[in-house]
Amino acid sequence: SAVISQKPSRDICQRGTSLTIQCQVDSQVTMMFWYRQQPGQSLTLIATANQGSEATYESGFVIDKFPISRPNLTFSTLTVSNMSPEDSSIYLCSVRAGTRTETQYFGPGTRLLVL
Amino acid sequence: KQEVTQIPAALSVPEGENLVLNCSFTDSAIYNLQWFRQDPGKGLTSLLLIQSSQREQTSGRLNASLDKSSGRSTLYIAASQPGDSATYLCAVGTGANNLFFGTGTRLTVIP
């Protein structure tokens, strides 16, 4: 299994500003995933972050808006840039870990409200 | 693109009742299917993972079935308890990195 922590747990931000969300895992993992869950919606994958390479973004998400860092095998950050109220969501970090590597583990999420 | 639907969106049952949550997906070419529960402020917890070659998985009072050909999965919860109250999410893995999630079923078990 994997234990994932995220910071901050929640934040209220003004439009036009940026917020960086941190994700820490208690074990080394190759791939880390960032998801977004908008109010009343299902989770949507933003990007996959591999250590030592550029993140891979899903359709509809771009690096300029959601830059990602992956400096080592236990840590990643997601920045939500130039925020607007439409960015108000829960952002979740996720990894696959353990002997059953298909099982996916999620952090507690960062609840973001943009005014 | 894979689309995942969960019915019902919300469900309230008295404690002790058995219940079934439903999940359907549009593309049967899946790699696996997972059921998660989501508790407010606690992220998602993986409950059961079914490989595409499997028909069901069991863990305690939970049993998940998979019918790939019809694009359906069910999560059966036996003898429900108030602690089972949460949102239950179904997610389909396609072999790539992405999991396609349903919008969930919000379950309330009434003491």
Side-chain angles (χ1 to χ4, degrees):
Chain A
S1 66
V3 178
I4 305 171
S5 60
Q6 288 185 232
K7 290 181 182 179
S9 59
R10 60 177 63 224
D11 207 343
I12 301 174
C13 301
Q14 298 296 320
R15 68 173 67 205
T17 63
S18 298
L19 176 71
T20 295
I21 302 168
Q22 299 180 7
C23 176
Q24 181 75 51
V25 189
D26 69 342
S27 58
Q28 295 183 338
V29 295
T30 303
M31 291 190 293
M32 297 178 77
F33 307 91
W34 286 98
Y35 283 82
R36 179 175 74 180
Q37 186 177 28
Q38 294 179 301
Q41 304 292 317
S42 60
L43 277 76
T44 302
L45 181 64
I46 298 172
T48 302
N50 292 334
Q51 194 269 337
S53 63
E54 293 287 327
T56 303
Y57 289 82
E58 297 299 310
S59 176
F61 297 97
V62 295
I63 187 171
D64 290 345
K65 176 66 176 178
F66 297 102
I68 288 172
S69 78
R70 183 77 203 275
N72 57 52
L73 291 173
T74 63
F75 187 79
S76 177
T77 67
L78 170 76
T79 298
V80 186
S81 303
N82 188 25
M83 289 183 285
S84 67
E86 292 71 34
D87 295 319
S88 298
S89 293
I90 301 174
Y91 293 85
L92 297 112
C93 173
S94 176
V95 304
R96 291 179 190 160
T99 55
R100 298 176 64 196
T101 55
E102 300 90 352
T103 300
Q104 203 142 336
Y105 299 90
F106 284 81
T110 295
R111 188 179 297 271
L112 171 62
L113 176 63
V114 183
L115 301 178
Chain B
K1 180 184 175 183
Q2 181 74 265
E3 293 186 4
V4 182
T5 304
Q6 291 186 246
I7 296 173
L11 180 65
S12 291
V13 300
E15 181 177 1
E17 194 163 292
N18 302 326
L19 59 102
V20 175
L21 308 180
N22 297 292
C23 172
S24 61
F25 46 95
T26 54
D27 187 346
S28 62
I30 68 170
Y31 187 68
N32 57 39
L33 185 144
Q34 294 185 61
W35 282 93
F36 295 87
R37 68 175 280 169
Q38 184 174 27
D39 296 278
K42 295 185 179 179
L44 278 69
T45 303
S46 179
L47 298 172
L48 289 164
L49 180 148
I50 310 176
Q51 300 289 358
S52 63
S53 59
Q54 298 175 322
R55 299 283 292 182
E56 66 177 350
Q57 282 286 329
T58 298
S59 177
R61 294 182 293 108
L62 305 180
N63 176 277
S65 68
L66 174 64
D67 184 343
K68 206 172 63 167
S69 61
S70 66
R72 294 180 181 178
S73 176
T74 62
L75 179 67
Y76 174 83
I77 302 177
S80 58
Q81 303 171 358
D84 295 330
S85 298
T87 297
Y88 290 81
L89 297 169
C90 164
V92 172
T94 60
N97 295 327
N98 205 348
L99 282 179
F100 292 90
F101 281 84
T103 51
T105 295
R106 188 170 65 253
L107 173 65
T108 302
V109 180
I110 304 166

